[in-house]
């Protein structure tokens, strides 16, 4: 199984809503990532978890809150988002911190109204 | 600060018309240059890793090359199914990826 799954595929939320994005992998990878990608732009790294501990936070606003309940799951909790937060949110995992071992999920397309 | 610039931003080719995509980079201590393919609404799919100048990698109709300042992704006799956005990224001393803006390739039959 060389797949990273993400749910939901699409999400529409208001600025006062609380929602969560989920990511799952069963490849035994110990590093997991959240990226944000705006239309026609490259992915931007948000968070990195290594061995279930947050190792990198790229100065992301606190309205985004990551969580890694176990080595297979990664969540991104969303609260009080702004319309400019609308984007494709990509999850990735890797065996170690080498990008060449990184597998990306299909993403969650988020629209904030 | 690591910088990656890709050109052109968009490229339209006829089926069978070979071309090259460019990725120029500035990084203090390159620890790998990576090419990805991304289809609309999907995550990037890893294609190649290059580590040192002069290195080349091939996969089907794609060939990636690396110099000290740039990388090229050569596409030979492309087919419509090669249409996608091609992303270049570098890994610097911080071990994280810095992506370029991508080249959107459209191959018409």
């Amino acid at each position: 199984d060389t797949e990273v799954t993400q749910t939901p595929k699409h999400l529409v939320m208001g600025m006062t809503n609380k929602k969560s994005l989920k990511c799952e992998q069963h490849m035994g990878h110990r590093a997991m990532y959240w990226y944000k990608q705006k239309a026609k732009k490259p992915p931007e790294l948000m968070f990195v978890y290594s061995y279930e501990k947050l190792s990198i936070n790229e100065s992301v606003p606190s309205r985004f809150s990551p969580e890694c309940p176990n080595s297979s799951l990664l969540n991104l909790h969303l609260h009080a988002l702004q319309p400019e937060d609308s984007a494709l949110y990509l999850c990735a995992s890797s065996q170690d911190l080498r990008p060449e071992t990184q597998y990306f999920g299909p993403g969650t397309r988020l629209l904030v109204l | 600060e690591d910088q990656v610039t890709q050109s052109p931003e968009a490229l339209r080719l006829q089926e069978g018309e070979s071309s090259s995509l460019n990725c120029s980079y500035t990084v203090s201590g390159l620890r790998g240059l990576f090419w990805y393919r991304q289809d609309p609404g999907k995550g990037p799919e890893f294609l190649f890793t290059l580590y040192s100048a002069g290195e080349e990698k091939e996969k089907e109709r794609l060939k990636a090359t690396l110099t000290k300042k740039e990388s090229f992704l050569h596409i030979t006799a492309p087919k419509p199914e090669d249409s996608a956005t091609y992303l270049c990224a570098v890994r610097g001393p911080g071990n994280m990826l810095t992506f370029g803006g991508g080249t959107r390739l459209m191959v018409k039959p």
Side-chain angles (χ1 to χ4, degrees):
Chain A
D1 182 8
T2 57
E3 190 178 18
V4 176
T5 59
Q6 290 187 242
T7 56
K9 290 185 178 180
H10 302 275
L11 179 62
V12 180
M13 60 186 290
M15 290 188 286
T16 58
N17 292 158
K18 286 185 180 181
K19 296 287 184 182
S20 297
L21 309 185
K22 296 184 184 300
C23 174
E24 190 167 2
Q25 58 87 14
H26 295 287
M27 295 178 278
H29 289 174
R30 304 314 298 262
M32 297 186 78
Y33 311 74
W34 281 115
Y35 288 85
K36 173 182 177 180
Q37 187 175 25
K38 303 281 279 185
K40 298 183 180 180
K41 297 291 185 182
E44 297 176 5
L45 183 66
M46 300 174 72
F47 302 104
V48 180
Y49 272 83
S50 178
Y51 288 86
E52 299 156 50
K53 292 184 179 179
L54 184 64
S55 62
I56 293 179
N57 176 341
E58 292 287 350
S59 303
V60 179
S62 60
R63 58 186 184 269
F64 295 92
S65 176
E67 179 196 18
C68 190
N70 59 56
S71 60
S72 299
L73 294 174
L74 184 66
N75 298 321
L76 185 63
H77 302 296
L78 314 173
H79 174 55
L81 295 194
Q82 303 296 311
E84 58 264 29
D85 296 321
S86 299
L88 181 69
Y89 288 84
L90 294 165
C91 174
S93 72
S94 62
Q95 190 168 355
D96 45 43
L97 289 176
R98 292 178 300 145
E100 56 266 50
T101 68
Q102 206 170 105
Y103 286 83
F104 282 86
T108 292
R109 187 159 298 283
L110 174 67
L111 177 62
V112 182
L113 300 176
Chain B
E1 184 179 334
D2 300 346
Q3 287 193 333
V4 182
T5 304
Q6 290 188 245
S7 61
E9 288 188 8
L11 181 62
R12 292 188 175 212
L13 299 174
Q14 288 296 128
E15 184 172 3
E17 180 187 1
S18 300
S19 188
S20 296
L21 314 183
N22 178 264
C23 171
S24 298
Y25 64 89
T26 304
V27 61
S28 56
L30 180 69
R31 299 179 65 186
L33 183 140
F34 308 88
W35 283 98
Y36 294 86
R37 169 190 171 131
Q38 186 173 22
D39 292 297
K42 295 187 178 181
E45 176 187 346
F46 171 74
L47 292 174
F48 302 111
T49 308
L50 302 166
Y51 289 105
S52 56
E55 190 174 357
E56 298 182 353
K57 293 277 180 71
E58 282 189 73
K59 180 180 180 181
E60 296 180 353
R61 294 177 293 281
L62 301 176
K63 179 180 177 181
T65 61
L66 181 66
T67 72
K68 289 186 178 180
K69 295 182 179 180
E70 57 192 350
S71 177
F72 292 94
L73 185 65
H74 306 280
I75 303 178
T76 303
K79 298 182 178 182
E81 53 262 41
D82 295 322
S83 297
T85 295
Y86 291 86
L87 295 166
C88 168
V90 297
R91 176 169 60 139
N95 220 30
M96 291 299 112
L97 293 176
T98 299
F99 283 89
T103 293
R104 295 188 305 281
L105 174 67
M106 183 180 297
V107 182
K108 292 190 171 184

